Amino acid sequence: AEKGIRSLHGAGGGSAVNVRKTALEEARRVNELFAICFEMPYTNCPADPEKDDATHWAAFDEDGEMMSTFTVSDFTVQFDGSPCKMGGIGGVATLPQYRRRGGIRACFREALPDMYGSGYDFSYLYPFSTAYYRKFGYENCVQKYGWTVDLSLLNPPKEGGSFRLAEKGCPMTAEIRALDAIWESHYNMMVLHGDEDYDWTRKCDPAVKQDFTYVCFDAAGKPNAYTTFRLANEPDGRNLVCSRFCFADKGGFEELMRLYKSLSSDHRFVKFSTPANPAMQYFMPEWSLGAVSWSVQSAGMVRAVNVKSVLEKARYIGSGTVCVAVQDSQIPENNDSFTVTFADGRAESVTRGGEADVVMTVPTFSALIAGVWDFAEARGALPGLEVKRENPCLNQVFFRKPLMIADYF
């Protein structure tokens, strides 16, 4: 194969598939594949490839035709109090005539080891099929509560603070960023945003765009919540559908409810998402008569790219020592056992080798270390987990943690 290209056989031993990162001059074709496969106008794809700092992987057939592609975008996420490099997988596309030829499989086979070598801790994606992406080491991670609130039955406390619409002359960027920072410091997998991520606040133009962002304030004038919503004429009514919903405390949640109640004469329901924390259910005083309904929504899959680095950055309970063996068919460096010694909630050392207390596949490890399950729960539910020696410290390594992600890619 020519330099920079690796030749791989397609699924089922078919014709060869060549995989490499794309060049700038191929950006248009990458976008065309995305537009075709997602049935989306090309004008909605990235307009200026010179400003596109993501990495695009592509598979080509033996004649050099681009078959499949996906994008790895860089994010910094919060994990157990440490910033971690995360590769967000998006734009996964294969032209219909090349499907089931192994193009995406070949791209992952090349991209994941490359991500390991480039210092990534995690990767994350929003799947079309969870079973499909488990084959590449991903497992279900963040869950959200999806709320539907009947505005006619909403009865928030009468007394509170105030709320204000964000517009071009008053974007309230600092207030919105301060509220985001609260969730970013608390929830694993939350993206840590920089200045460039708040251009949208400075472009608020509700009269033209019909996207409405409100910032809420408590009685002392301190920002305690914000939301962005737009009108949606849906089968169940003329509704407010939120794309952003963030609050600092119960008072902020109540202020958002007062905002929505002020719009109840023209709308039937408001719909929004929150972290899947059972305590959230107690923020709403009335659940009877169909006032509120909610569902648990899957919000993506996580993969540990560098097991050793993740174990070094993880938070533990108390002190102890465990040895975890991970099985990873995609990234050879992860296919090992790791002895972790931790004290006062942090790793003192992570070394390779040792007799494993537990053996698990990388999808199971990824979900457990992110904080999806307690270890005792996982033993009876997650596949690819075998306890070799009983060690109570396993419960101090793998336990439930607050999880949330608000960004899509």
Side-chain angles (χ1 to χ4, degrees):
E2 69 181 87
K3 187 175 181 180
I5 301 178
R6 184 176 174 189
S7 180
L8 303 162
H9 288 292
S15 56
V17 176
N18 299 315
V19 177
R20 60 172 171 80
K21 296 176 185 177
T22 63
L24 276 177
E25 58 269 21
E26 294 171 308
R28 180 174 182 85
R29 187 55 180 163
V30 170
N31 286 343
E32 287 175 344
L33 257 71
F34 182 90
I36 292 167
C37 295
F38 286 87
E39 299 174 309
M40 178 182 294
Y42 183 87
T43 53
N44 290 346
C45 296
D48 186 356
E50 295 291 340
K51 296 180 180 179
D52 181 8
D53 57 359
T55 300
H56 304 280
W57 287 87
F60 301 81
D61 70 5
E62 58 272 22
D63 296 321
E65 177 72 17
M66 189 181 293
M67 305 162 51
S68 306
T69 183
F70 67 63
T71 298
V72 182
S73 299
D74 287 356
F75 295 90
T76 301
V77 297
Q78 197 277 131
F79 168 67
D80 285 2
S82 297
C84 287
K85 187 176 181 180
M86 183 269 277
I89 306 295
V92 181
T94 298
L95 287 173
Q97 64 266 34
Y98 291 114
R99 288 175 185 169
R100 306 191 69 82
R101 289 270 298 273
I104 295 299
R105 180 186 296 274
C107 287
F108 271 111
R109 196 175 298 149
E110 293 298 294
L112 287 169
D114 184 83
M115 291 167 69
Y116 182 96
S118 299
Y120 290 83
D121 295 299
F122 290 102
S123 180
Y124 205 90
L125 54 78
Y126 294 93
F128 77 92
S129 165
T130 54
Y132 179 79
Y133 285 109
R134 279 194 187 102
K135 294 184 289 188
F136 308 117
Y138 294 82
E139 188 51 87
N140 289 329
C141 188
V142 174
Q143 291 185 329
K144 300 179 183 180
Y145 287 157
W147 299 62
T148 299
V149 180
D150 188 329
L151 292 172
S152 68
L153 299 176
L154 182 60
N155 187 27
K158 299 296 188 293
E159 300 299 323
S162 61
F163 46 83
R164 184 171 181 178
L165 178 66
E167 300 186 72
K168 284 192 291 186
C170 183
M172 293 182 281
T173 305
E175 292 86 348
I176 290 170
R177 187 168 185 178
L179 290 163
D180 278 347
I182 295 172
W183 283 21
E184 290 169 11
S185 66
H186 182 67
Y187 293 104
N188 277 3
M189 298 301 123
M190 276 292 291
V191 173
L192 305 179
H193 296 103
D195 291 338
E196 67 282 0
D197 296 314
Y198 289 91
D199 285 344
W200 69 270
T201 64
R202 293 177 279 271
K203 297 176 182 177
C204 286
D205 193 354
V208 173
K209 298 180 179 179
Q210 294 294 290
D211 279 315
F212 303 92
T213 296
Y214 283 85
V215 177
C216 300
F217 301 86
D218 63 19
K222 181 179 179 181
N224 60 2
Y226 82 94
T227 183
T228 301
F229 58 81
R230 67 182 298 118
L231 170 68
N233 289 304
E234 299 178 317
D236 57 355
R238 191 172 189 270
N239 303 324
L240 303 174
V241 177
C242 300
S243 56
R244 296 183 177 90
F245 187 95
C246 179
F247 55 96
D249 50 28
K250 185 177 181 181
F253 185 93
E254 291 175 347
E255 197 61 52
L256 287 168
M257 296 306 108
R258 279 189 283 271
L259 162 63
Y260 298 138
K261 185 63 176 180
S262 74
L263 302 168
S264 60
S265 61
D266 299 316
H267 307 90
R268 184 177 180 191
F269 295 113
V270 61
K271 301 180 180 182
F272 55 88
S273 297
T274 69
N277 178 350
M280 299 281 175
Q281 299 172 40
Y282 296 95
F283 284 8
M284 190 67 67
E286 179 58 71
W287 286 81
S288 300
L289 305 174
V292 182
S293 63
W294 60 273
S295 60
V296 178
Q297 303 171 341
S298 178
M301 303 178 78
V302 70
R303 192 205 205 279
V305 173
N306 188 322
V307 169
K308 186 173 184 291
S309 176
V310 167
L311 287 169
E312 290 169 344
K313 295 176 180 179
R315 180 176 286 122
Y316 302 89
I317 298 174
S319 304
T321 299
V322 297
C323 185
V324 179
V326 176
Q327 298 171 339
D328 189 343
S329 61
Q330 303 283 322
I331 302 177
E333 293 87 347
N334 290 335
N335 198 30
D336 206 342
S337 60
F338 301 86
T339 299
V340 184
T341 300
F342 55 95
D344 298 324
R346 288 296 180 184
E348 289 191 327
S349 66
V350 179
T351 58
R352 293 182 179 272
E355 184 179 353
D357 299 313
V358 63
V359 178
M360 61 185 71
T361 60
V362 74
T364 292
F365 171 82
S366 300
L368 283 173
I369 201 66
V372 176
W373 293 77
D374 289 323
F375 186 74
E377 297 172 316
R379 290 184 67 168
L382 279 177
L385 189 158
E386 182 183 0
V387 176
K388 295 291 189 180
R389 297 187 305 181
E390 294 294 339
N391 182 345
C393 291
L394 287 166
N395 297 303
Q396 300 167 244
V397 176
F398 303 113
F399 52 92
R400 283 187 181 272
K401 303 168 185 177
L403 286 160
M404 183 62 177
I405 188 167
D407 290 65
Y408 293 93
F409 37 85

